[in-house]
Amino acid sequence: MSNLLEVRNLTTRFYTQDGVVQAVNGISFDLAPGETLGIVGESGSGKSVSMLSVMRLIPDPPGKIEDGEVIFAGRDLLKLSGDEIRHMRGAEVAMVFQDPMTSLNPVLTVGFQIVEALKLHQGMKTQEARERAAELLSLVGIPDATKRLDDYPHQFSGGMRQRAMIAMGLSCNPMLLIADEPTTALDVTIQAQIIDLVTQLQEQLEMAVIWITHDLGVVARLTQRVIVMYAGYIVEEALVEDLYGSPRHPYTIGLLGSLPRLDDAPGTKLLSIPGQPPDLVALPEGCPFAPRCEYVVERCRQELPLLETVAHRHQVACWQKDKTKRKQTSV
């Protein structure tokens, strides 16, 4: 099966008064049709910027995609013209952003915003587009959808606004939906509903999904494969069951160790990762995680590790991957 998306050596920089921010540093990955991929990491790890780069939504200036290829359905998105990429967004690749209140235009009705996408990408007339917009709002679980078309974003609750954003993203039946932490601002009950909704719609529409999050619990429930990012690099990539069952990068081990477990003994303390993420304006020469790593050796401070295969569909960028494997085996 050929890949739907192939990202190769994607590199993005931001030119600021403080220096050049090395936001995304030569990442590469593939996505198969219908697959769900999770991208995890703490704030500033490059998750959102990498996907905004894929969509060509990086503001220029100060941002610039310096290098790489983004092959989607056989075309390099980085080489498309401005008009071509605008027609591709929404129609073939859609993105749901973290905060629906700032993503939706507050002075336009929700229905108008969905209808505009349908008229632009599907060539529908206004009435036909309104009927389809009502169908989409019903599909994502908004009651009285036809009446709610004329409501403004502030008249929707947070969960309903996020559902409206998903409806807008799905309006043109995209082959790929990118969800950028869409449940972060919602309470846990609404989070669960949104996750179930996306899973259900993915099965119905047979689309691929990239889910960006810092919530490893969401990843375990929703995705088939996971990419772990740190300081603009991919440090580990694995099938979700392998990542949780046998993490190999010290950063991944630290992230998983910070999660509470139902089988922990009473009084068990959660792990924490010492130190702070590196300054992306002045990344260290070697492994960016070295200053915070319990496995660090001198080579880690001098040479940047590259992703290497350690098992089936499991890659890790770590000079101490054999030591982390022995420790995981002994636990």
Side-chain angles (χ1 to χ4, degrees), residues 21-201:
V21 178
Q22 302 171 64
V24 180
N25 298 305
I27 68 169
S28 300
F29 65 90
D30 299 326
L31 181 71
E35 183 181 17
T36 305
L37 174 68
I39 301 181
V40 302
E42 58 196 317
S43 297
S45 61
K47 309 183 300 298
S48 296
V49 174
S50 61
M51 290 303 102
L52 290 171
S53 299
V54 166
M55 294 284 286
R56 296 246 317 257
L57 290 172
I58 297 295
D60 182 7
K64 185 177 181 181
I65 302 172
E66 297 276 11
D67 196 8
E69 294 180 327
V70 178
I71 309 299
F72 177 79
R75 294 169 297 167
D76 187 348
L77 302 187
L78 301 186
K79 294 182 179 178
L80 296 183
S81 68
D83 285 339
E84 288 173 329
I85 195 70
R86 278 190 291 273
H87 282 290
M88 183 277 301
R89 294 190 202 113
E92 299 178 56
V93 183
M95 193 164 184
V96 178
F97 296 95
Q98 180 172 347
D99 185 356
M101 199 61 217
T102 57
S103 301
L104 291 167
N105 191 321
V107 300
L108 299 175
T109 65
V110 171
F112 179 87
Q113 296 179 64
I114 300 174
V115 165
E116 282 299 287
L118 290 167
K119 291 168 67 175
L120 174 64
H121 294 296
Q122 303 285 74
M124 292 183 179
K125 301 296 184 182
T126 300
Q127 185 56 39
E128 181 186 10
R130 278 185 62 87
E131 292 172 1
R132 176 58 178 158
E135 289 177 9
L136 288 163
L137 290 183
S138 296
L139 183 67
V140 298
I142 294 180
D144 297 323
T146 301
K147 295 180 180 178
R148 301 310 299 265
L149 286 175
D150 296 319
D151 285 349
Y152 290 87
H154 73 270
Q155 296 174 278
F156 279 44
S157 67
M160 290 176 66
R161 286 195 295 267
Q162 197 59 278
R163 288 170 183 268
M165 283 296 300
I166 293 172
M168 192 179 302
L170 298 176
S171 60
C172 300
N173 299 321
M175 292 184 281
L176 170 61
L177 177 70
I178 300 173
D180 186 1
E181 304 205 45
T183 62
T184 297
L186 307 177
D187 66 59
V188 291
T189 303
I190 304 300
Q191 284 184 26
Q193 292 174 3
I194 295 296
I195 292 167
D196 289 341
L197 173 65
V198 172
T199 303
Q200 175 187 349
L201 293 174

